[in-house]
């Protein structure tokens, strides 16, 4: 069992920044991948960014590539998502997720553990 707790969401204006954090606890994996997904009302959960502990690789959705940065602190088992130049279309519930394989996946059903989500609302 892995527990994931997100924090850092909130309501901001377009152009502002937010930094999301996700702390993992519970079962220890020697290698794993962490990712961020988001889901807006009436839409499917979509991939935002991912990072591999083992390989140090990152991947981003095209819509956020120039604005968001994913990073991690392996000793703290924490992953971060720095979100700059936020747009109204970024409004969604953001979820942290973990999969044991070290390769980054972009499909939500390939991740094994999920946090409860944190709301990000961007107003124009």
């Amino acid at each position: 069992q892995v527990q994931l707790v997100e924090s850092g969401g909130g309501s901001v204006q377009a152009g502002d920044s937010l930094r999301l954090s996700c702390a993992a606890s519970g079962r220890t994996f020697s290698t794993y991948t962490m990712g961020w997904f988001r889901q807006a009302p009436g839409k499917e959960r979509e991939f935002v960014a991912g990072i591999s502990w083992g390989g140090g690789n990152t991947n981003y959705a095209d819509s956020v590539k120039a604005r968001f940065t994913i990073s991690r602190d392996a000793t703290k088992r924490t992953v971060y998502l720095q979100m700059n130049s936020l747009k109204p279309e970024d409004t969604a519930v953001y979820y942290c997720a973990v999969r044991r394989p070290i390769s980054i996946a972009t499909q939500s059903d390939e991740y094994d553990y999920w946090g409860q989500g944190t709301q990000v609302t961007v107003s124009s």
Side-chain angles (χ1 to χ4, degrees), residues 74-112:
T75 62
K76 298 180 180 179
R77 301 182 69 187
T78 300
V79 65
Y80 306 94
L81 185 68
Q82 179 67 45
M83 305 186 294
N84 298 327
S85 302
L86 283 162
K87 304 175 180 179
E89 51 263 45
D90 295 319
T91 296
V93 177
Y94 283 71
Y95 297 91
C96 177
V98 169
R99 67 194 301 259
R100 185 165 183 180
I102 62 173
S103 60
I104 300 171
T106 59
Q107 299 296 316
S108 60
D109 60 6
E110 297 192 60
Y111 285 77
D112 302 305

Side-chain angles (χ1 to χ4, degrees), residues 3-62:
Q3 293 80 44
L4 302 173
V5 180
E6 303 100 332
S7 61
S11 298
V12 299
Q13 297 292 316
D16 287 349
S17 298
L18 283 173
R19 181 174 180 256
L20 305 183
S21 299
C22 174
S25 62
R27 183 178 178 182
T28 300
F29 296 140
S30 58
T31 57
Y32 55 95
T33 300
M34 301 185 74
W36 289 95
F37 289 76
R38 66 187 182 187
Q39 187 168 24
K43 299 183 66 176
E44 293 185 346
R45 191 169 299 184
E46 65 175 351
F47 173 79
V48 176
I51 186 166
S52 173
W53 254 233
N57 298 316
T58 60
N59 194 19
Y60 298 90
D62 289 342

